[in-house]
Amino acid sequence: MLSLLSRQGIAYCSASPRVLPRNLPKVWAAAGLRYSSSSPTAVVFMNMGGPAKLEETHDFLYELFSDNDLIPISKKYQRTIAKYIAKFRTPKIEKQYKEIGGGSPIRRWSEFQSSKVCEILDSISPETAPHKPYVAFRYAKPLTHETYEQLLKDNVRRAVAFTQYPQFSYSTTGSSLNELWRKIKELDPERKITWSTIDRWPDNEGLTNAFAGNIKQKLQEFPAQVRDKVVILFSAHSLPMDVINTGDAYPAEVAATVRKVMHKLNFSNPYRLIWQSQVGPKPWLGAQTSDIVEFLAPKEKGLLLVPIAFTSDHIETLFELDLEVIGESNYKDKIKRCESLNGNATFIEGMANLVKEHLQNGELYSTQLPLDFTLGKSNDPITDLNKVFGYHTKK
Amino acid sequence: MLSLLSRQGIAYCSASPRVLPRNLPKVWAAAGLRYSSSSPTAVVFMNMGGPAKLEETHDFLYELFSDNDLIPISKKYQRTIAKYIAKFRTPKIEKQYKEIGGGSPIRRWSEFQSSKVCEILDSISPETAPHKPYVAFRYAKPLTHETYEQLLKDNVRRAVAFTQYPQFSYSTTGSSLNELWRKIKELDPERKITWSTIDRWPDNEGLTNAFAGNIKQKLQEFPAQVRDKVVILFSAHSLPMDVINTGDAYPAEVAATVRKVMHKLNFSNPYRLIWQSQVGPKPWLGAQTSDIVEFLAPKEKGLLLVPIAFTSDHIETLFELDLEVIGESNYKDKIKRCESLNGNATFIEGMANLVKEHLQNGELYSTQLPLDFTLGKSNDPITDLNKVFGYHTKK
């Protein structure tokens, strides 16, 4: 399909990557080209991942602490130090995964969600069908390079890197995109695959409708006379202040999700955006979830914790919120945790619509993304987004 | 007017303040009561204020550093320390006010805006007319107690405390409301005036339309070929991390304003929310405006600074942004600052609509406010919002 393009010698192919038209698929369509059934449109769910089995915990931690985008330890000794930290922390973290059932459900949910999204896409976007679901994790199987190899085997020529962090941070989505770029250079130097990315979607309709629906449902579990007094505590993974202070987009985008959800709830309840999972001695963005829950629990009629920056269950909900923050509270009877999105149909439909729009409007990446990469700091990053996304097949 | 209410012996008057009906004015209307022309509805613009003349600078600083809600220095020695700091800082700050024309324009703008809002209200909300504009500053003339005395002289019985900080912080709006409560107790123990408050309005239509309009207009001043590459830097006054870490509502509400403005601009440009005016040695919320401008200016085609948490010009725009951040930059030609809202008609109309809705839906304060006061920490605060707002006339 793409070879046709170069045979027709369409002018922009030789243009500077910076001025590649943003509406590439529209150009394809204008050239009479179609997505081909022998080459599916790949929808690649990118996320951090988690160990599906206990014995994957060490490797997961090693990959995580090796990531200079996420944890900028050292330009030179990152992997050496990661090896040490992973070894040291594995027993503790293994125990946590054991307590939540022997592993992270994130792979199972990601595979389910992405396959459902592709099913819906085949029906609502026949012009880009067939769609094939993939998962690419940053720290667990399937790792980005494994998925990339599969994409090539499957004869994929058009792929969407769909971040499963609805709110952009350089340390999460940025890291996944940097890894993608390293794997493009390594595994696909001929640029068989044309990539675009959905790099943020904090106020997506399906996402925020699903959150609002889950909150309404969980509020029903509180006694009727306290229901409208329950404090909704939106809890997002925190970041170190030295990341926040680079101008990372994350806190404002998480706040955007929260605001849209509260609009959908018609501001029925008091609420607050708070931050969880701080580790280490450095200052992180607060208020901290555990502090606020401890402070408010004795004073309020009820607290509802809503994990607002993850799209499925994982250790931060199942262990940290459920077993630690709630489980160890003296007031656990008046604290509940909202369902994670997991298999939520509204959520999945919202994602399918988002991918459809993305494919149809031909956007390669958002208007924000270049600024994110200008402000973000790391070891081996993307230096030019236009080299990563768009049509680059060598003639 | 209110005395009629008590003569009719309406039951809720003796009910616990916590269960006072939130729809008080509706109840009045149901009782056949009307706002009276001999007793105007007061619309009280609350803000921090600024010295209108140079010689008011010392007193302004003294009041500011005396405010334990804003700057929690010491429960006991706040005023003594404030006296010292004010004396020490006055020459420097006087010089800054001199450079921006000899004083702060905030009083002039507040008086203009509030009178226009009341003019519009008389026409769009005749049932609550006449409306009379007031300004109550926290640190400059007219101070809250001066305005309160005027309200009593003017025979006001119904007043709306309308915060001019669109995004709530305990250290700004919270401080103004705490001061109001202290003055109610001091000057109006018989509770002649029934108060309600508009305590936040971060995504008000008029506010965000006005910002979006001003941004569009200012973008026109950049060369056409770079216009859509200009980075929009929304700059809000920062807060110390120890305030942020109490769970203050401010950062998420500022982000809500930013998001709504960007939606109105259809995300035409890259943008970022950043934070200005950090002082002192303690850690504050970043990224800092001056750092980001310095970092981005050499790299980007253009920067547009948008003061997003103030409703008129003041020292933080006219001095800090215009003369320091832009004026002292080596790249000043490619940095512009968006107009402040000041006399913007869209903005003023938005405020009038907001007050109208507030009067008509009978809300005494937002669903969020009790939580703000539970989380906020200070010396002499409101302990029960229901004692402050609503109908409390002693029989």
Side-chain angles (χ1 to χ4, degrees):
Chain A
M1 165 183 110
L2 287 168
S3 59
L4 266 175
L5 251 182
S6 49
R7 262 185 270 140
Q8 294 185 359
I10 289 175
Y12 60 79
C13 294
S14 59
S16 146
R18 284 203 176 273
V19 291
L20 261 183
R22 291 290 286 273
N23 59 343
L24 206 52
K26 277 188 196 149
V27 179
W28 295 341
L33 299 166
R34 289 284 173 274
Y35 286 79
S36 134
S37 63
S38 64
S39 170
T41 303
V43 179
V44 183
F45 273 35
M46 300 187 117
N47 210 336
M48 65 185 308
K53 297 174 194 162
L54 286 190
E55 52 269 31
E56 292 172 15
T57 306
H58 172 273
D59 290 358
F60 168 75
L61 291 176
Y62 171 65
E63 289 298 335
L64 189 139
F65 287 102
S66 296
D67 182 6
N68 186 268
D69 298 343
L70 180 73
I71 306 162
I73 303 177
S74 155
K75 280 219 168 196
K76 209 166 165 188
Y77 301 109
Q78 184 93 22
R79 289 217 168 246
T80 315
I81 297 167
K83 213 172 273 184
Y84 171 78
I85 302 177
K87 196 176 165 187
F88 173 76
R89 286 182 68 90
T90 294
K92 184 184 164 189
I93 305 296
E94 257 186 6
K95 200 165 156 265
Q96 294 182 359
Y97 278 110
K98 203 171 172 186
E99 287 195 50
I100 63 166
S104 167
I106 192 170
R107 179 170 186 168
R108 188 164 47 86
W109 282 124
S110 300
E111 287 173 348
F112 176 81
Q113 292 162 342
S114 58
S115 69
K116 285 287 168 195
V117 163
C118 286
E119 261 176 41
I120 299 172
L121 279 167
D122 283 349
S123 133
I124 64 174
S125 181
E127 60 274 32
T128 54
H131 305 84
K132 203 167 154 62
Y134 296 86
V135 171
F137 285 148
R138 188 66 189 82
Y139 314 119
K141 289 181 184 178
L143 290 161
T144 308
H145 75 91
E146 297 169 283
T147 302
Y148 212 114
E149 281 157 3
Q150 191 61 46
L151 289 164
L152 292 170
K153 270 187 209 152
D154 291 349
N155 196 34
V156 166
R157 292 291 172 268
R158 174 77 178 89
V160 178
F162 184 10
T163 184
Q164 291 301 298
Y165 307 100
Q167 306 93 2
F168 185 94
S169 170
Y170 186 78
S171 55
T172 55
T173 298
S175 169
S176 281
L177 296 176
N178 281 333
E179 179 72 0
L180 174 64
W181 173 229
R182 291 188 287 264
K183 297 307 152 191
I184 289 175
K185 290 187 286 185
E186 187 184 321
L187 303 172
D188 186 17
E190 296 294 313
R191 309 306 297 272
K192 288 187 180 143
I193 302 175
T194 291
W195 285 93
S196 64
T197 182
I198 299 171
D199 52 61
R200 74 200 67 219
W201 40 297
D203 42 20
N204 173 266
E205 277 300 309
L207 176 80
T208 50
N209 278 332
F211 276 127
N214 281 357
I215 290 169
K216 271 186 203 161
Q217 205 174 349
K218 192 53 88 172
L219 283 171
Q220 292 301 315
E221 295 180 19
F222 287 88
Q225 65 275 20
V226 307
R227 201 166 291 149
D228 65 346
K229 307 213 170 36
V230 169
V231 177
I232 303 174
L233 295 172
F234 294 95
S235 184
H237 203 296
S238 185
L239 284 176
M241 283 309 295
D242 50 17
V243 174
I244 301 290
N245 290 338
T246 62
D248 197 78
Y250 181 71
E253 294 194 7
V254 179
T257 307
V258 168
R259 190 81 187 172
K260 183 123 178 210
V261 172
M262 286 310 303
H263 269 289
K264 288 183 183 292
L265 295 172
N266 204 21
F267 293 90
S268 60
N269 286 64
Y271 72 97
R272 201 62 31 143
L273 167 56
I274 53 179
W275 307 90
Q276 71 177 80
S277 315
Q278 171 170 343
V279 285
K282 287 203 286 185
W284 285 52
L285 181 62
Q288 277 194 57
T289 300
S290 52
D291 292 349
I292 293 293
V293 169
E294 197 184 334
F295 179 75
L296 290 180
K299 296 178 176 63
E300 300 288 343
K301 307 277 186 205
L303 303 178
L304 174 56
L305 285 161
V306 183
I308 195 71
F310 284 106
T311 54
S312 65
D313 273 318
H314 45 84
I315 200 160
E316 284 86 354
T317 53
L318 300 172
F319 185 82
E320 189 180 342
L321 292 185
D322 294 352
L323 302 182
E324 288 189 326
V325 174
I326 302 178
E328 295 171 12
S329 169
N330 292 329
Y331 302 89
K332 56 165 100 40
D333 292 347
K334 50 179 174 173
I335 316 173
K336 297 183 192 294
R337 201 253 303 164
C338 194
E339 284 301 305
S340 292
L341 298 175
N342 296 338
N344 186 295
T346 306
F347 167 60
I348 287 169
E349 208 174 307
M351 287 198 285
N353 289 330
L354 179 62
V355 177
K356 180 189 169 180
E357 278 164 36
H358 173 81
L359 288 167
Q360 290 191 342
N361 73 22
E363 190 180 72
L364 294 176
Y365 48 82
S366 78
T367 323
Q368 279 276 59
L369 197 64
L371 182 58
D372 297 311
F373 276 81
T374 303
L375 294 168
K377 291 176 176 66
S378 63
N379 235 346
D380 180 16
I382 293 171
T383 49
D384 181 352
L385 288 166
N386 290 312
K387 287 188 179 166
V388 186
F389 302 109
Y391 177 67
H392 292 279
T393 300
K394 290 184 184 167
K395 288 183 196 170
Chain B
M1 165 181 111
L2 286 168
S3 59
L4 266 176
L5 249 184
S6 47
R7 262 186 267 141
Q8 296 186 358
I10 288 175
Y12 59 78
C13 292
S14 57
S16 146
R18 284 203 176 276
V19 291
L20 261 183
R22 291 289 286 274
N23 58 343
L24 207 52
K26 276 188 197 153
V27 179
W28 295 342
L33 300 165
R34 289 284 173 272
Y35 286 79
S36 135
S37 63
S38 64
S39 170
T41 302
V43 179
V44 183
F45 273 36
M46 300 186 117
N47 211 336
M48 64 185 309
K53 297 173 194 162
L54 285 191
E55 51 271 30
E56 293 172 14
T57 307
H58 173 272
D59 290 358
F60 168 75
L61 291 176
Y62 171 65
E63 290 296 336
L64 189 138
F65 286 103
S66 297
D67 182 7
N68 186 268
D69 297 343
L70 180 73
I71 307 162
I73 302 175
S74 154
K75 280 221 169 195
K76 210 167 164 187
Y77 302 109
Q78 184 93 21
R79 288 218 168 246
T80 315
I81 297 167
K83 214 171 274 184
Y84 173 78
I85 302 178
K87 197 176 165 188
F88 174 75
R89 286 182 67 91
T90 295
K92 184 185 166 189
I93 305 294
E94 258 186 5
K95 199 163 159 267
Q96 295 182 358
Y97 278 111
K98 205 172 170 183
E99 288 194 51
I100 63 165
S104 167
I106 192 169
R107 180 170 184 167
R108 188 164 47 84
W109 281 123
S110 300
E111 286 172 349
F112 176 82
Q113 292 162 342
S114 58
S115 67
K116 286 287 169 199
V117 163
C118 285
E119 260 176 42
I120 299 172
L121 278 168
D122 283 350
S123 132
I124 64 174
S125 180
E127 60 274 31
T128 54
H131 305 84
K132 203 166 156 58
Y134 296 86
V135 170
F137 284 148
R138 188 66 190 82
Y139 314 121
K141 290 179 182 182
L143 290 162
T144 308
H145 75 91
E146 297 169 284
T147 301
Y148 213 114
E149 281 156 5
Q150 191 60 47
L151 289 164
L152 292 170
K153 270 186 210 153
D154 292 349
N155 196 34
V156 166
R157 293 290 171 268
R158 176 78 179 88
V160 179
F162 184 11
T163 184
Q164 292 300 299
Y165 307 100
Q167 305 93 1
F168 186 92
S169 170
Y170 186 78
S171 54
T172 56
T173 298
S175 169
S176 282
L177 295 177
N178 281 331
E179 179 72 359
L180 174 64
W181 173 228
R182 291 188 286 264
K183 297 307 152 190
I184 289 175
K185 290 186 286 185
E186 187 185 321
L187 302 172
D188 186 17
E190 295 296 312
R191 311 305 298 274
K192 287 187 179 141
I193 303 176
T194 290
W195 285 93
S196 64
T197 183
I198 299 171
D199 51 61
R200 74 200 67 219
W201 39 297
D203 42 20
N204 174 265
E205 276 301 309
L207 176 80
T208 50
N209 279 331
F211 276 128
N214 282 356
I215 290 169
K216 272 186 203 161
Q217 205 174 348
K218 191 53 89 173
L219 283 171
Q220 292 302 314
E221 295 180 19
F222 288 88
Q225 66 275 19
V226 307
R227 199 166 292 149
D228 64 346
K229 306 213 169 37
V230 169
V231 177
I232 303 174
L233 295 171
F234 294 96
S235 183
H237 203 295
S238 185
L239 284 176
M241 283 311 294
D242 49 19
V243 174
I244 301 291
N245 289 339
T246 62
D248 198 77
Y250 181 71
E253 294 194 7
V254 178
T257 308
V258 168
R259 190 80 188 172
K260 183 121 179 214
V261 172
M262 287 310 302
H263 269 290
K264 288 183 184 291
L265 295 172
N266 204 19
F267 293 89
S268 60
N269 287 64
Y271 72 97
R272 201 63 32 143
L273 168 55
I274 54 179
W275 307 91
Q276 70 177 81
S277 314
Q278 170 170 345
V279 287
K282 287 204 286 186
W284 286 52
L285 181 63
Q288 277 193 58
T289 299
S290 51
D291 291 349
I292 294 293
V293 169
E294 197 184 333
F295 179 75
L296 289 180
K299 297 178 175 65
E300 300 288 343
K301 306 277 187 205
L303 303 179
L304 174 55
L305 284 161
V306 183
I308 195 71
F310 285 107
T311 54
S312 65
D313 271 319
H314 47 83
I315 200 160
E316 284 86 353
T317 51
L318 301 172
F319 185 82
E320 189 180 343
L321 293 185
D322 293 353
L323 302 182
E324 287 188 327
V325 174
I326 302 177
E328 295 171 12
S329 169
N330 292 329
Y331 302 89
K332 56 164 102 35
D333 293 346
K334 50 178 173 172
I335 317 173
K336 296 183 194 295
R337 201 254 300 164
C338 194
E339 284 301 304
S340 292
L341 299 175
N342 296 337
N344 186 296
T346 306
F347 167 60
I348 287 169
E349 207 173 309
M351 285 197 286
N353 290 330
L354 178 63
V355 177
K356 180 189 168 179
E357 278 164 37
H358 172 80
L359 288 167
Q360 291 192 341
N361 73 23
E363 190 181 71
L364 295 175
Y365 49 83
S366 78
T367 322
Q368 279 276 59
L369 197 64
L371 183 58
D372 296 311
F373 276 81
T374 302
L375 294 168
K377 290 176 177 66
S378 64
N379 236 346
D380 180 17
I382 293 172
T383 49
D384 181 353
L385 288 166
N386 291 312
K387 288 188 180 167
V388 185
F389 302 109
Y391 177 65
H392 291 280
T393 300
K394 290 184 184 167
K395 288 184 197 171

